[in-house]
Amino acid sequence: MNSFSEYPFDERIRKAIEELGFTKPTPIQSQTIEPIAEGRDVIGIAQTGTGKTAAFVLPTLQRYLQRDPAEEYKGPRVLILSPTRELAAQVDDSIKQLAKHADFRVALLLGGVPYGKQLQALGNDPEVIVATPGRLIDHVQQKNTHLRAVDVFILDEADRMLDMGFMPAIHQLIGFLGKGERQTLMFSATFPDPIARLASRLLKDPVRVDVSPPVRTPEKIKQGAFYIEKVRKPRLLRELLALPNMTSVMVFCGMKVEADFIHEVISGDGFEVGVLHSDRGQKERTRALDEFRNGSCAVLIATDIAARGLDIKDVSHVINYDLPNNFEDYVHRVGRTARAEAEGEALSFVTPGDLLTFNKIEADLGRPIERYDFEGVTMPWEAGIPSAAGAGRRGRR
Ligand code: AMP
């Protein structure tokens, strides 16, 4: 489907699309709207910003509007789970916009806010529930609603659900669904093993659509690592950033406070440096990103959440100041460099406490990561062997 007019949308939907000024479907929309409207299960590998919300809302709304309006209300029929309040609120907004000419009642159920309005929304016989997992479990357990009539189940940002520890909650919610026929849609920016397993359990003969940006395979990116005491990391970072080939460097930290700390340290050295994490205001984040993109800032310090999905050209180096916890995040970070045909290198700081994770990442990568030393700053890799006991491999240099 290359244009919205190619598809026989209900007039009420067509009007909303027009009013929103959507001229043509985004890639994820052009590949998923038809199968979803036909009732197929779909796996969509897509990030926020690709138009994925409309990709599942439009055909779901279309199917709903084709139902017999005289059908008796048995409970909410569409369940959309989102990992965070912000994302759930965005989905709710999208539905309100796309369904503004139709009667498609939504209950938005978020944690951390009072129950009053949510109870009111549930009392209004909603067709759709958009929820974060914990609060929805509360409502079901308190019998404020039930999920037995759900025949469209949508898991949004499944990989973030996993990151945030929601898998047990999702399994619990699946147990609340009815036993009848159901359509299941799963959207995720990445597709790690636990998500793949959940998908194979939950989805029947799914159509798989992948619109993830072309990340260069890690095989083509030079990758190295330093073995270092935690306290010496700032020193190593300074030494590396002073090298002439470090023209455009993304530095990844595990925590926001750490990102702020390094930002302060490195700025004090006279480097032009920006910082990107979720506690910084939107304006500040946009400015940091713009300055890094246009080259006025050579260094950008970021956390994973803030950096997900960014497409920045010409990143010469990625530095894992803190090693990511898993292979998915490693690949994602490393893929920020050497985009298109550019050269790039990824360097990881590995502390004694990181050795097991590092070995696991290297095993998943399926080839060795170069062991580097920085004289006077790093430790010899051999020093790590005793604490890596059980990992069953030898350090190389
Ligand atoms: P999402 O990836 O769902 O978070 O959507 C990102 C943004 O793209 C939202 O602000 C949507 O309103 C917008 N959007 C979705 N589909 C289209 C489209 N076909 N044309 C233009 N904008 C769109």
Side-chain angles (χ1 to χ4, degrees):
M1 185 176 81
N2 295 313
S3 115
F4 284 121
S5 57
E6 266 176 46
Y7 192 82
F9 279 117
D10 184 285
E11 199 40 47
R12 290 162 282 185
I13 301 180
R14 180 173 307 291
K15 209 166 146 203
I17 294 176
E18 242 177 63
E19 286 169 5
L20 280 168
F22 294 180
T23 48
K24 68 189 216 355
T26 65
I28 185 85
Q29 290 165 2
S30 66
Q31 293 174 75
T32 55
I33 286 178
E34 281 169 306
I36 296 174
E38 282 164 13
R40 296 283 305 267
D41 283 1
V42 168
I43 292 173
I45 317 283
Q47 298 176 325
T48 300
T50 53
K52 69 179 167 59
T53 316
F56 60 75
V57 171
L58 283 170
T60 302
L61 182 59
Q62 171 78 3
R63 285 187 81 202
Y64 176 75
L65 293 176
Q66 286 167 342
R67 286 168 174 158
D68 178 0
E71 233 177 274
E72 188 196 344
Y73 181 79
K74 296 198 182 83
R77 308 182 71 156
V78 179
L79 170 60
I80 305 173
L81 286 183
S82 283
T84 65
R85 288 198 264 167
E86 289 78 10
L87 282 164
Q90 270 176 42
V91 170
D92 177 57
D93 257 5
S94 275
I95 297 177
K96 291 212 168 83
Q97 289 173 359
L98 293 166
K100 68 195 247 201
H101 301 297
D103 183 20
F104 198 49
R105 292 179 301 281
V106 185
L108 176 63
L109 310 177
L110 310 174
V113 292
Y115 280 75
K117 257 173 98 176
Q118 299 181 3
L119 290 173
Q120 217 177 339
L122 287 171
N124 215 9
D125 289 355
E127 316 293 353
V128 188
I129 288 180
V130 180
T132 51
R135 179 59 64 97
L136 180 57
I137 290 176
D138 283 355
H139 279 295
V140 174
Q141 284 177 335
Q142 291 172 28
K143 304 211 180 322
N144 301 331
T145 188
H146 69 83
L147 306 179
R148 293 186 297 277
V150 168
D151 55 13
V152 182
F153 176 41
I154 304 172
L155 262 170
D156 196 15
E157 307 252 347
D159 53 347
R160 280 184 71 183
M161 300 263 199
L162 176 73
D163 289 348
M164 295 174 72
F166 282 144
M167 278 302 143
I170 289 171
H171 285 288
Q172 191 175 352
L173 285 168
I174 291 169
F176 295 148
L177 298 173
K179 299 279 173 272
E181 284 278 300
R182 194 182 322 117
Q183 179 183 31
T184 307
L185 312 174
M186 187 188 267
F187 287 81
S188 198
T190 57
F191 212 63
D193 279 350
I195 297 297
R197 281 197 296 275
L198 181 68
S200 69
R201 238 199 71 200
L202 215 56
L203 280 73
K204 280 188 294 291
D205 186 26
V207 175
R208 185 183 164 117
V209 174
D210 186 343
V211 298
S212 50
V215 170
R216 241 174 96 163
T217 52
E219 292 91 74
K220 292 176 190 155
I221 299 167
K222 248 174 109 180
Q223 293 163 73
F226 296 97
Y227 189 48
I228 185 160
E229 291 285 3
K230 191 168 186 287
V231 292
R232 312 209 82 185
K233 285 191 200 180
R235 163 95 192 273
L236 179 60
L237 183 62
R238 285 175 164 145
E239 299 275 3
L240 292 175
L241 291 178
L243 298 173
N245 62 344
M246 293 264 165
T247 51
S248 173
V249 188
M250 280 191 87
V251 179
F252 282 97
C253 295
M255 288 188 304
K256 297 176 235 183
V257 284
E258 189 82 78
D260 281 333
F261 167 72
I262 312 176
H263 179 244
E264 215 162 287
V265 171
I266 301 299
S267 318
D269 283 356
F271 289 106
E272 290 299 330
V273 44
V275 64
L276 200 66
H277 64 62
S278 53
D279 279 357
R280 297 274 171 155
Q282 192 56 49
K283 250 183 159 163
E284 222 180 332
R285 285 159 66 173
T286 310
R287 198 184 63 217
L289 205 53
D290 286 349
E291 288 180 352
F292 185 64
R293 276 207 171 101
N294 69 27
S296 58
C297 228
V299 183
L300 184 66
I301 302 179
T303 56
D304 284 302
I305 301 280
R308 248 177 209 273
L310 295 181
D311 188 8
I312 302 172
K313 289 197 180 68
D314 302 328
V315 175
S316 70
H317 292 80
V318 164
I319 296 182
N320 288 319
Y321 183 88
D322 294 316
L323 196 70
N325 295 326
N326 57 64
F327 179 64
E328 275 308 314
D329 283 344
Y330 179 83
V331 171
H332 187 81
R333 290 182 184 185
V334 164
R336 302 298 99 200
T337 184
R339 292 180 88 74
E341 290 312 306
E343 288 291 303
E345 185 167 23
L347 299 169
S348 298
F349 292 7
V350 179
T351 66
D354 291 331
L355 272 179
L356 288 177
T357 309
F358 179 67
N359 287 336
K360 172 92 173 48
I361 289 173
E362 194 176 40
D364 286 347
L365 193 65
R367 69 201 180 92
I369 295 173
E370 193 89 18
R371 265 66 168 169
Y372 293 142
D373 289 310
F374 202 104
E375 220 185 313
V377 186
T378 60
M379 295 189 286
W381 279 93
E382 287 75 6
I385 292 174
S387 48
R393 64 181 314 285
R394 289 182 54 80
R396 284 179 308 274
R397 298 175 72 157

